[in-house]
Amino acid sequence: MSLRSTLAFTIARRELRGGLRGFRVFLACLALGVAAIAAVGTLRTGIQQGLTDQGAVILGGDAEMRFTYRAADADERAYMDRIATRVSEVYDFRSMALIEGDQALTQVKAVDDGWPLTGAATLDPAIAVAEALADQNGIPGALMDPVLIDRLSLQIGDTFRLGTQDFRLTAALVREPDSASTGFALGPRTVVRTEALANSGLLSAGSLYETRYRLTLPPGADLQVLEDQSEGQFRDKGMRWTDSRNAAPGIEGFVDRIGSFLVLVGLAGLAVGGVGISAAIRSYLDGKTETIATLKTLGAEAG
Amino acid sequence: MTDPVLALPVLALTDARLTLAGNAGPVEILKGISLDIAKGETVGLIGPSGSGKSSLLMLMGGLERATGGKVLALGQDLTAMDEDALARFRRGNMGVVFQSFHLIPTMTALENVALPMELSGTPDAFPRAEAELASVGLGHRIGHYPAQLSGGEQQRVALARAAAPRPAILLADEPTGNLDGVNGQAIMDMLFGLRDRHGATLVLVTHSPELATRCDRVIRLADGLLAPEALAKAAE
């Protein structure tokens, strides 16, 4: 270190004996702004990491092939059976849950024995999904969102109707493991077996529904290769591919937008704080003007 | 035969002018001062408030830049130097004492006195500073900060700081202006004592006729000009 630098450092060290009092506002503004931006970044990263780590659970499988207004045909099912170790078929549509004298809109999920492929549904009472959806006395079982149960004033064991098919409420669906990947829903959830809808008249030509095929893939499967391959074969037939790398694009988009907004808020805070910073620095330098003038009088150069 | 270099005035002003910009337009502070001050001379600048005494002293120290004319110090043209060159020039050649002391509040008395010598790279800055403080009677207060010293003591530190680098020129701007009579007298005794000891040229701005009479020459200013009797010898 040159003599000049050493002396500059010595004088600066002596100046700091006066403390950082004049810099408190400056430091507070800087700390708050940086902390806000860092917190937003950390939160966004945490959420995105969580979505990535739990991608398969959120999606309900390692990958999903989705069709609109139709089920997969034989070729498509054969393809799924070839690339996956397990396949679960889910129908998703809106309907009215009917009871004597009342009705309510519900988002129906019709599932097979494999549902849920990943994660676990939480039911009240705590019984197995297969048991909850099983027929009893010729009436198939059903699960319902507690909100819908309250709305229709149902009790466990009561019956309700979807289309022309009666169902018996066997449990409340407290937690639905793949709900985050479903996207926008117009009504609370009802879960039934797909087979039980055969006589309901709800899944026929002209019905508005989606089918989702959740796939459990072999360990080490290359998701990108499978996506390219599947889209290459079935994209033109209306197939849409989603996998655990981006299990809930809606949520990720929402988090991205909120994150950008909060960063903007942080930056705006920094900009507003900039006024305080400017005032703090001006006030500090005003206090040091006499010292600087004295130093120059004694022979201190500018640089 | 006289050495021509030694015969040169220490300070030489030729038609020196100072005009400052003001909200109501430019203000002419000094309107053309021509003046020589010889080596070792003590000069008192007197005159009413606003006559330009302090501004003239600032021109001599290169602390204000003349807007016209020439200001030579030790043969060097201060009007041709930039800020850094002026600072370097003052560092080795000038000591300045102000009415308001202008000590650096975060430095001890010893550090304040040593500072100009540190800036000029003097290796024994601190021992010399300590000796200079002792010479003004503050050998026991070297570790005190300005806020812990009285006004008279602060001005003694300022005197020691100005004199310690052994400058050829000492400039003092109303050094007793903020002090009571007793302290003011003591400070003046010390200032003239330091000047006698180091043989510096002393230029002193004062309102005190008594103080002015201690100088070799008194220069009176009025409205930015030398008064007609300016060159009269004060102390006969």
Side-chain angles (χ1 to χ4, degrees):
Chain A
M1 198 184 278
S2 69
L3 179 66
R4 207 156 120 177
S5 305
T6 308
L7 183 58
F9 178 75
T10 303
I11 292 174
R13 189 170 45 78
R14 289 175 190 165
E15 275 302 303
L16 283 175
R17 288 174 188 161
L20 294 172
R21 193 165 30 216
F23 272 118
R24 276 182 193 158
V25 174
F26 166 76
L27 292 174
C29 290
L30 204 61
L32 278 175
V34 171
I37 291 173
V40 169
T42 305
L43 181 68
R44 181 158 63 175
T45 306
I47 292 174
Q48 284 172 338
Q49 190 62 46
L51 290 174
T52 304
D53 292 347
Q54 297 296 312
V57 175
I58 292 168
L59 183 64
D62 297 325
E64 177 186 271
M65 294 173 73
R66 190 162 81 250
F67 301 88
T68 303
Y69 309 146
R70 71 176 180 90
D73 62 24
D75 284 349
E76 290 158 346
R77 283 305 302 253
Y79 173 78
M80 292 177 209
D81 291 338
R82 198 169 64 247
I83 65 169
T85 55
R86 290 174 67 204
V87 179
S88 170
E89 180 189 56
V90 172
Y91 282 74
D92 197 309
F93 60 96
R94 284 178 290 281
S95 183
M96 300 300 289
L98 307 168
I99 59 171
E100 189 68 35
D102 201 359
Q103 59 186 8
L105 185 65
T106 179
Q107 192 78 23
V108 179
K109 176 179 275 182
V111 301
D112 59 12
D113 293 338
W115 185 84
L117 272 187
T118 55
T122 304
L123 307 183
D124 181 21
I127 56 177
V129 171
E131 182 187 345
L133 300 181
D135 285 7
Q136 195 172 20
N137 302 324
I139 302 177
L143 310 172
M144 255 189 189
D145 188 307
V147 172
L148 188 57
I149 295 174
D150 286 346
R151 163 70 184 79
L152 294 173
S153 304
L154 291 172
Q155 301 292 325
I156 300 299
D158 287 352
T159 58
F160 64 96
R161 178 169 293 185
L162 292 175
T164 56
Q165 175 67 52
D166 284 339
F167 289 91
R168 181 173 47 83
L169 178 64
T170 54
L173 181 60
V174 178
R175 182 174 169 275
E176 181 188 356
D178 52 352
S179 61
S181 63
T182 306
F184 181 70
L186 279 176
R189 178 66 74 193
T190 299
V191 178
V192 297
R193 290 279 307 277
T194 306
E195 293 163 4
L197 291 170
N199 299 319
S200 68
L202 294 173
L203 295 177
S204 57
S207 299
L208 303 179
Y209 63 92
E210 276 191 335
T211 51
R212 297 166 182 265
Y213 294 86
R214 271 72 183 268
L215 313 176
T216 298
L217 300 171
D222 188 328
L223 290 170
Q224 187 59 51
V225 168
L226 288 173
E227 179 181 1
D228 294 343
Q229 184 181 308
S230 305
E231 295 210 331
Q233 288 190 45
F234 305 117
R235 182 78 181 173
D236 293 342
K237 295 170 74 178
M239 187 281 298
R240 278 168 289 171
W241 173 278
T242 308
D243 59 51
S244 57
R245 293 171 301 172
N246 186 20
I251 292 177
E252 289 205 32
F254 174 75
V255 170
D256 275 345
R257 282 192 294 278
I258 287 289
S260 301
F261 172 73
L262 290 177
V263 166
L264 194 64
V265 169
L267 286 173
L270 264 184
V272 172
V275 177
I277 289 168
S278 153
I281 290 176
R282 196 178 301 121
S283 158
Y284 184 81
L285 284 180
D286 282 349
K288 294 296 172 194
T289 303
E290 187 179 317
T291 297
I292 293 166
T294 303
L295 284 168
K296 288 184 82 72
T297 302
L298 297 177
E301 295 167 63
Chain B
M1 197 174 151
T2 311
D3 185 331
V5 175
L6 291 177
L8 280 175
V10 168
L11 287 163
L13 286 78
T14 308
D15 194 27
R17 292 170 184 275
L18 179 64
T19 302
L20 299 179
N23 289 335
V27 182
E28 220 176 346
I29 309 290
L30 297 173
K31 300 172 179 172
I33 304 280
S34 295
L35 175 67
D36 286 352
I37 296 175
K39 183 173 187 293
E41 196 176 9
T42 56
V43 175
L45 293 177
I46 62 170
S49 294
S51 59
K53 307 182 296 294
S54 293
S55 299
L56 180 57
L57 196 78
M58 296 299 110
L59 283 194
M60 291 175 179
L63 297 168
E64 284 281 6
R65 190 175 291 278
T67 50
K70 270 197 181 306
V71 178
L72 300 181
L74 299 170
Q76 302 216 35
D77 185 359
L78 300 189
T79 55
M81 293 183 188
D82 63 18
E83 285 293 322
D84 281 349
L86 283 169
R88 281 194 297 274
F89 179 76
R90 276 193 299 271
R91 196 188 282 169
N93 299 304
M94 288 186 177
V96 187
V97 181
F98 297 97
Q99 179 178 351
S100 303
F101 325 135
H102 290 313
L103 298 179
I104 294 177
T106 54
M107 295 190 194
T108 63
L110 183 65
E111 288 165 347
N112 265 287
V113 176
L115 186 57
M117 293 182 285
E118 286 185 284
L119 288 168
S120 60
T122 307
D124 56 346
F126 280 89
R128 278 174 61 177
E130 197 168 345
E132 205 64 47
L133 277 169
S135 78
V136 296
L138 289 177
H140 61 298
R141 305 295 296 273
I142 60 173
H144 288 73
Y145 289 92
Q148 297 168 314
L149 301 171
S150 69
E153 287 170 332
Q154 289 187 53
Q155 194 62 302
R156 281 149 70 185
V157 174
L159 279 183
R161 182 178 66 186
R166 310 281 190 272
I169 302 167
L170 267 176
L171 304 174
D173 188 5
E174 299 191 50
T176 59
N178 276 353
L179 303 176
D180 60 42
V182 174
N183 271 308
Q185 184 62 46
I187 288 296
M188 289 319 300
D189 290 345
M190 284 176 193
L191 181 60
F192 279 91
L194 287 170
R195 174 247 166 273
D196 292 341
R197 197 149 24 114
H198 301 318
T201 300
L202 172 64
V203 184
L204 172 71
V205 170
T206 182
H207 278 291
S208 162
E210 184 194 342
L211 196 52
T213 57
R214 293 180 67 171
C215 299
D216 300 333
R217 181 158 52 124
V218 174
I219 296 174
R220 182 182 298 278
L221 274 87
D223 195 24
L225 290 166
L226 297 183
E229 72 280 20
L231 301 177
K233 285 277 183 188
E236 294 293 343

